[in-house]
Structures are given as C-alpha cells and as structure tokens.
Amino acid sequence: MQRTDIEAIASLARLDLTPEQLDRFATQFEDILGLFRALDAVDTTDASRAATTERHRSLREDRVAPTLPLGDVLANNPASDATRFLVPKILDDRAS
Amino acid sequence: MSASDWEAVVGVEVHLQLATESKMFCGCPVRFGAPPNTLVCPVCLALPGALPVPNALAIRHAIRVALALGCSIHRESRFDRKNYFYPDLPKGYQISQFDRPFGYDGALELPSTSAFAGHRIRIRRVHLEEDTGKLIHDADPRQSVVDLNRAGTPLVEIVTEPDLRDADEVYDYLRELHLTLSYLGVSDCDLEKGSMRCEPNVSVRRRGATELGTKTEVKNLNSFRHVRDAMRYEVTRQIELIESGGSVVQETRSWNPETGRTAAMRAKEEAHDYRYFPEPDIAPITTSEAELDAIRSELGESPAARRARYLETLGLPSEHADVFLHDPAMAALFDATVAEGADAKAVAPWIVGDLQRERNERAERNASTDVLAIAPASLARLLALVADGTLSTALAREVLTAVLDSGESPDRIVEERDLAQISSADALTPAIEAAIEANPRAVEDIRAGNDKAIGALVGHVMRTTKGKANPALVNQSLRERILGA
C-alpha cells in the first residue's frame, strides 16, 4: 500500500490526514490486506458465496409503510427552511 | 477533412422509474408532487441502523424489462454500493448493481418502419438501482435545497453497447425502446415527469478506425428530440475540436434547449472512483427457473411481434398498424373485432377513421361515451352489413353513430329506422320508372351517347328512396331500361 493510495482514499472519503496519520494508515492497511490474503488462500471452490446468507433471503412485498413526520425528518439537520434541507450550493457534475 | 470522414459512436443509458407503490428498499410511497420530505423514513434518510429490504415487485419488473430486451438473466444477482458524496444521496453511496446485474447481453432491433430497419442495438446490461433525492439550485444564490421524496425510488437502468452511429438512429432506438417498455406495464414511461431519462455517451472517430474516441455524456434531455439535437451538436463540436488541434475531454455536459448547445458541467477535480463493493446488508437475489417462466409468461405480445402481425400477417397499411401499436385500447378493439370474423383490412379504417372521429366529436361536447367500448361483435356485424350490400358506407356511418348512442345492435337499428339498402331490382322498379318519366331530356341525352346525363336520373332515384337504393344497382337498372342493354 503506497502512501499515495492512502491519500487518494482519504480524499475520496473527504478525510484530511496528517503526514503521520498517512504513514500509520499505510502500515495498518497493509496489515489488514495481509489478513484478507490469508482468507483468500482458503480453498472455497465448493462453497457458494450465498451459502451463508441464502436462508435469510428476504424481500418485501410492494406495500406502503408509514413515513416520518416532517418535524422528525428535519430534527437533526443543521440547516433547513420549513420543509427542506439546505446545503452549500454545488452544481450537478456526477457521471450518472 | 470533412464531416463525412468522421463517424459518431454512441451508447445510450436510459433510466426508467418503475411504477411501484413503495420505494426500492423501504415502504415509503412513490408519488410525484408530494410536499417536500414527507415521503421519507429512517431507511431512505440513512439513519444509523436502518436496513434496506428489496421490493419484490421492483425486482420482477426489472427482470421483465430484461427479458423483453432479450437479455440473459443472472440467476444469482447482487446489489452493490456505489460510493460518492453528494447532498441528494443521504447514505454517501447509492445501492446499485455492478458485476451481477439482473439482465445482460440483450438486443433491440429497430423496426421495419425505421430508416435503420433491422439494426440490432445490443443491450449491455439491465440493472436495478435506487434514485437520488432532488436538488434544487435556483431557490437561493448561495444555497441549494434538498427534497428526499424521490430518494430510494426504484429505477431500472438500460445500457446499450456503443452501437449507434447516427442521431436519427438514436431517436429511432429511443422510440422503439419507449414503445417496448410501455407495453410492459412496469412504468408510466413519462419523459416530462422524468420517469424515463436518456443520457447518450457520444464520441467520434475517423471513419475506419477501430479504437473508440474519448466520450462525453450529455444530460438534461427530457425529450427524444432533444437527445437527437444534442447528439448532432455534440458530434459537430467534437469533430471541430479535434480538427482544430484540440482534444475531447471526458466530461458530463448539459444540454441547453434554448441555445441548442451543450456546456461542460463543473470540471472534475479527480476521476470518478466509485469503489463499488457488494452491499453487505442485502443477500444475493436468486431467481428460480420457475420464477423466470412465470415472468416470461406474463410478457404478452411485444410491439415488434404485434407490428409484424399487423403488417405482414394481416396486411394492414403501416399508418393503421402504427396507430394500433401506439394505442392499446384501439388495438384491443381491432383484435377483438377481427376475432369476431371481420376482415382486418376492412375493420382498420373504421376504427382509425370513423370511431376516432366519433371519439373526437364526443370529447368536444364532453360526452362520456367511450366509443372504444363498442361490442366487437356489433362492429363486426356492421361491417358484414356493408359487405353483403345491406348498408351503404354512408348509412353504415349513421348506424355506427346510433349504435354508440343507444348501445343497440346494428340489425335492430337498421330495422327500426328502415335503413336497409334496396338491393333488388324489382323493389327499385317503381323508383326507376318515376325517374325516367320525370327526366325525358336526360333520357334523350343518354340515348344520344351522353353518359354523364345518367347522374340526374340516379340522383332522382336516390332522393325518392331516401338514399337507401344501392347506387350500383340503380345505375345498372337505368341503363338496361333506357338502352335495352
């Protein structure tokens, strides 16, 4: 794991990391990935990825359920007008 | 180099809002135009601990779309998280699908009525995802406002391969796609309401080149005509840019229908990296063969199959076939009338012409009669009465109006109003004699070889029979009587 990888991930996560933190995370990430490599080494040819979850497959029928009162919806919000959330102005630039 | 040295390469993404009662992963109602932030709950607000549970109907709808587009179906499909930050996306990620979409490798063929007839536009994938909330920018100069009612609404995304080469081809593809989707009953397919959104990816390359050029994605297109115009503009812009020594930047551009131009949306600071990973809160969705068969059996006739049946099997002219393809109620009446034994080519103009006229007239005077609710057997009978000479076309129109007004059968109306056409020579004899007696001059003219003079005599007979005489028979009887032929 390069320091630049950590910088890129931190930037995508909107995290501002100090140089010391970058170094520490790079080491920690490397340790975590090491654990996953160990898991990857296990032979899972016969195990379905869904094997552990299949029994819990649950869908809901298309039925309407109660919604939250507007006061509750906006309760924890730092900025709102009477009915809507307010955010700093940005223009839509997403790819999809 | 001229424009003809270049080739446009276009793929299209279409987002279709599904017609469900509730959202994709929670029970909030899906409704257009509700007061802001009244259709939300802990799941679509992304409150801590809230868990998504997929809507079974939305999944069936997505599979239905995939099957209608000839896709293969992943028997084990999966939801993934697409990570990015934006204020209309409360969770900080969108639940979408990455490498196991419901449908893949399909195709849509452009219809025989298109200039690009027979072109197969390959469908790369059909996947299910949730919509974002709505950001409104023009309310305040410094702030945007967010309404999360739409957040979590089920969307199907339909992505083509870059198989399209021409703006008109894109237009025809979208029209055929819209028709195909509208037959499925999975969405209202309303472009103005944003239920169907189209985003073309446009690039250009020198003719004969095999590598793809850098593409731009165009947004803010709420009609197929805008898509066509935007693509034309974008292709010209890219060609001019490259020819003048520049290069195309991969970016999202917004169409401005007033200026007829596209403009770059805010430049990206970094390439998008969505860090997709499997959604851990939702188990993979397995679909059994039995479930697939059930969905397949509900698909019904596709527009392509219906078009082929009308044009090729029944031999309808394309203008009639086209009306039926786009008007399911008319098509249903047409099919049912043909099933009653009526001749297809004879029925079509009565529905497209006469019934449509009755429909318009009634709409104008706010009459509530649904003219398409006419019993198919009545319509078939009316046509049979025309075919066997009982009714002239003009009288049949009168009977049709009466059938629609009264709900009585055509036979009953013909009998009540004594409208049956006089088609026996014997029954016509008195009227023929009277016409000859009253028009000695015309009779002389006919004997002298002036064939046109017979018009006056025919008119006389039609008047005395109140229009019930069979005109062809009147003509023939008069000639026999005057010329002895």
Side-chain angles (χ1 to χ4, degrees), chain B residues 216-398:
Chain B
T216 56
E217 178 171 342
V218 187
K219 288 196 162 205
N220 191 33
L221 300 164
N222 56 12
S223 82
F224 297 154
R225 194 167 308 146
H226 285 172
V227 176
R228 179 169 61 187
D229 294 347
M231 182 187 149
R232 281 200 185 122
Y233 173 82
E234 194 51 26
V235 167
T236 309
R237 185 189 72 85
Q238 292 186 11
I239 293 172
E240 285 175 2
L241 188 62
I242 298 170
E243 291 201 327
S244 64
S247 56
V248 176
V249 181
Q250 179 160 352
E251 62 189 354
T252 303
R253 298 178 68 86
S254 176
W255 170 248
N256 183 335
E258 268 132 55
T259 61
R261 290 156 166 266
T262 65
M265 297 172 114
R266 195 180 64 159
K268 289 187 189 71
E269 287 152 17
E270 65 211 276
H272 283 287
D273 178 355
Y274 294 122
R275 294 151 292 142
Y276 281 97
F277 63 84
E279 165 58 83
D281 290 340
I282 302 173
I285 311 292
T286 50
T287 309
S288 70
E289 200 54 49
E291 286 169 306
L292 275 186
D293 283 344
I295 299 171
R296 227 178 251 126
S297 70
E298 294 164 4
L299 276 181
E301 188 181 37
S302 71
R306 178 168 286 193
R307 185 185 289 112
R309 182 162 65 83
Y310 286 165
L311 291 177
E312 287 147 39
T313 313
L314 297 178
L316 297 188
S318 63
E319 64 268 28
H320 291 162
D322 209 48
V323 171
F324 294 145
L325 276 171
H326 289 91
D327 192 324
M330 276 198 176
L333 175 61
F334 171 76
D335 287 342
T337 309
V338 173
E340 291 285 342
D343 175 63
K345 279 192 266 193
V347 183
W350 278 89
I351 295 178
V352 174
D354 297 282
L355 271 178
Q356 182 59 48
R357 197 189 55 247
E358 294 276 355
R359 200 189 203 180
N360 295 343
E361 279 170 12
R362 276 155 221 264
E364 264 170 39
R365 53 175 207 263
N366 294 317
S368 59
T369 334
D370 176 9
V371 303
L372 298 180
I374 184 174
S378 280
L379 189 55
R381 180 64 189 145
L382 184 71
L383 285 153
L385 292 172
V386 176
D388 71 10
T390 307
L391 288 176
S392 65
T393 304
L395 285 177
R397 289 206 175 100
E398 194 182 321

Side-chain angles (χ1 to χ4, degrees), chain A residues 15-74:
Chain A
L15 293 176
D16 218 358
L17 299 183
T18 63
E20 293 75 31
Q21 283 173 318
L22 284 174
D23 290 334
R24 193 161 76 242
F25 279 128
T27 317
Q28 289 181 348
F29 256 105
E30 201 48 56
D31 292 345
I32 293 167
L33 288 174
L35 295 172
F36 276 100
R37 278 184 209 108
L39 284 174
D40 279 345
V42 179
D43 180 7
T44 55
T45 330
D46 295 329
S48 157
R49 208 192 74 81
T52 53
T53 50
E54 205 138 37
R55 290 171 51 209
H56 304 291
R57 165 184 158 168
S58 61
L59 304 177
R60 25 176 295 276
E61 284 312 309
D62 180 33
R63 250 180 245 117
V64 165
T67 57
L68 282 178
L70 186 61
D72 290 355
V73 172
L74 299 174

Side-chain angles (χ1 to χ4, degrees), chain A residues 12 49 54 57 59-60 62 64-65 67-68 70 73 83-87 89-92 94-96, chain B residues 21-23 26-27 37 40 53-56 82 84-86 88 137 140 142 144-146 217 265 286:
Chain A
L12 287 166
R49 208 192 74 81
E54 205 138 37
R57 165 184 158 168
L59 304 177
R60 25 176 295 276
D62 180 33
V64 165
T67 57
L68 282 178
L70 186 61
V73 172
T83 60
R84 298 172 300 188
F85 302 93
L86 296 179
V87 295
K89 189 150 194 148
I90 36 172
L91 292 174
D92 195 337
R94 286 163 301 176
S96 72
Chain B
E21 295 292 320
S22 66
K23 289 185 180 179
C26 61
N37 295 309
V40 291
V53 185
N55 183 330
K82 178 179 177 176
Y84 65 91
F85 288 117
Y86 216 71
D88 59 13
H137 299 295
D140 185 295
R142 283 162 296 113
S144 298
V145 298
V146 187
E217 178 171 342
M265 297 172 114
T286 50

